[in-house]
Amino acid sequence: METAEKIRQLRKRKRMTQKQLAEKAGLAVTTIQQYEAGKYRPKLEACKKLAAALDVGVSEITNVYTTDADSLNENIVLQKKLDSGQPLTGAEIIFLLENKPEVFRRLQASFEQLNDDGVEALCAQMEEHAKLLAQVPQYQKENE
């Protein structure tokens, strides 16, 4: 399915007008109309805004389409790591939190179930894991 059709379907599924989507995404109504008509293909930044407004991941709009090959490769590598259960880098975790709202919601839902003691225990475990990982050569930054 083309990006134009995906945007239209996602918008309609959310029962939003083009105007409502434009306002929520911070884009012009004519821009939404042009995207849905297939006249223009949204760049990555616009896709991020649309995804946030529609409460979906960027890949649901674009099928991992990005404006440059490096971003495309990063998305493919990240998806393979997620699928295989490999550990993620800090940058990859931040990318997920910023660009994959469904992952963030899962983490947030688990976090919200914790009381203050649980939050403290989680932070202590994360700190301990970070210290351990910092001692493993493959996880260490190269000297600059």
Side-chain angles (χ1 to χ4, degrees), residues 33-100:
Q33 292 168 342
Q34 290 171 337
Y35 290 159
E36 289 189 4
K39 291 184 179 181
Y40 296 102
R41 193 172 213 176
K43 292 185 178 177
L44 184 57
E45 285 307 310
C47 287
K48 289 178 182 179
K49 291 178 182 181
L50 289 166
L54 293 165
D55 197 31
V56 298
V58 174
S59 62
E60 289 186 55
I61 293 174
T62 64
N63 271 349
V64 198
Y65 165 80
T66 59
T67 55
D68 59 65
D70 288 341
S71 294
L72 177 61
N73 289 335
E74 287 175 25
N75 280 331
I76 291 169
V77 168
L78 182 58
Q79 190 61 53
K80 285 182 180 178
K81 285 177 100 172
L82 285 170
D83 292 343
S84 68
Q86 293 178 354
L88 303 177
T89 66
E92 290 168 336
I93 292 169
I94 291 168
F95 174 85
L96 278 176
L97 294 177
E98 291 176 345
N99 298 289
K100 302 269 189 191

Side-chain angles (χ1 to χ4, degrees), residues 118-134:
V119 171
E120 286 298 317
L122 174 63
C123 290
Q125 286 183 8
M126 288 174 59
E127 185 176 4
E128 198 58 39
H129 284 290
K131 287 178 184 176
L132 291 172
L133 288 173

